[in-house]
Amino acid sequence: MAGHTRQQVVDHAATHHVRLSTSTYNRIGTAVINTPAEIDTALNSLADLSR
């Protein structure tokens, strides 16, 4: 996410109820319990920030 710190990405995602982890990079992980709608929410949150 060019132009944003890792913490800014995590904080933005959190406003959409998406939890990301960060260390040297941001990471999002999905599991079989995630619904397609939840994954869409996560990806849309990141796309929103990249605009």
Side-chain angles (χ1 to χ4, degrees), residues 16-18 28 30-44:
H16 296 275
H17 306 287
V18 175
I28 186 169
T30 60
V32 296
I33 61 170
N34 292 111
T35 66
E38 291 170 329
I39 294 170
D40 286 344
T41 297
L43 295 177
N44 288 332

Side-chain angles (χ1 to χ4, degrees), residues 4-26:
H4 301 283
T5 67
R6 291 183 298 273
Q7 192 59 52
Q8 287 172 322
V9 174
V10 169
D11 293 344
H12 178 79
T15 66
H16 296 275
H17 306 287
V18 175
R19 292 184 60 190
L20 300 178
S21 62
T22 185
S23 56
T24 57
Y25 57 91
N26 290 106

